[in-house]
Amino acid sequence: MSRKASLDYPFLGLTRLVAHKRAGEGQWPKGFGHVDKTVAVGQGEEAFAALAEGILSWEIQKRAGLRVAAPPRAVVGAHVLSGFGVGNLRLPVPCEVVWAMEPQAEAGPDGTEVHMAGFGYGTLPGHPAVGEEAFIAMMTADGGVQFRLLAFSKPAGLIFKLGAPVTKLTQAGVSRSYQQAARSLAGGF
């Protein structure tokens, strides 16, 4: 099965394009809700390296309370099955990594050099949503370390549309858990 055929949403890789823009500047697709949150999580190269490694090795999902079945590292084409819930009562959420970036320096959204690392994954059939989510570690020129969470999605099918209010609350809770996990990984504030 080709990668394009297995992913079930349009705008593949959009979160990578948005990652290179300032928060709020993303061109999100019509009909999709979106998340674009950046939080300060630490200071210095050690904090950046720890956050980047935690993102690329799925530790951020694990610290956010998800169970993760995936290859050891986020690489393009990797299939990921995570699940959230309580105990054995978990909703499976299958995804595929559509872009990945090992730590590197590049021009940031404001033109200054920024160090970035992270990945984005897209939903596969069986996921309760249709869309993409990205996890990004950034270190600015002054050594500030930030975590950026990007996502766009809409419910996958009628049953999930009917449950949209619960899904939105769940997504907000998971987003907060990711932010707390990022702070923990970076040893920061």
Side-chain angles (χ1 to χ4, degrees):
M1 177 184 321
S2 76
R3 190 174 97 200
K4 199 166 194 172
S6 65
L7 293 160
D8 66 351
Y9 68 98
F11 314 108
L12 289 174
L14 179 63
T15 55
R16 183 171 184 140
L17 297 175
V18 173
H20 295 289
K21 298 180 180 191
R22 292 178 195 215
E25 288 185 354
Q27 297 295 322
W28 299 106
K30 287 184 177 22
F32 287 76
H34 71 275
V35 172
D36 186 347
K37 295 194 183 274
T38 302
V39 294
V41 296
Q43 187 72 30
E45 290 182 25
E46 258 186 61
F48 171 73
L51 178 58
E53 183 59 27
I55 288 171
L56 292 167
S57 67
W58 315 108
E59 189 61 29
I60 197 159
Q61 282 84 0
K62 293 172 187 174
R63 289 187 186 204
L66 301 176
R67 288 189 183 161
V68 180
R73 197 151 190 88
V75 295
V76 174
H79 281 232
V80 182
L81 182 61
S82 58
F84 62 89
V86 178
N88 289 330
L89 191 60
R90 293 189 176 261
L91 182 62
V93 287
C95 295
E96 181 178 326
V97 176
V98 296
W99 67 267
M101 179 190 327
E102 291 291 332
Q104 63 187 40
E106 56 185 59
D110 63 359
T112 61
E113 183 177 271
V114 64
H115 289 80
M116 295 178 73
F119 73 92
Y121 54 21
T123 59
L124 292 170
H127 195 291
V130 172
E132 192 171 292
E133 187 170 39
F135 307 85
I136 303 156
M138 300 182 297
M139 184 174 66
T140 57
D142 67 359
V145 178
Q146 300 173 333
F147 168 65
R148 188 168 183 194
L149 178 65
L150 298 169
F152 66 93
S153 65
K154 65 182 180 180
L158 180 60
I159 289 175
F160 294 113
K161 282 181 188 173
L162 294 172
V166 172
T167 302
K168 285 183 182 187
L169 285 173
T170 301
Q171 186 176 33
V174 171
S175 293
R176 284 190 301 276
S177 294
Y178 285 142
Q179 291 170 354
Q180 186 57 40
R183 285 185 187 95
S184 170
L185 286 163
F189 340 127

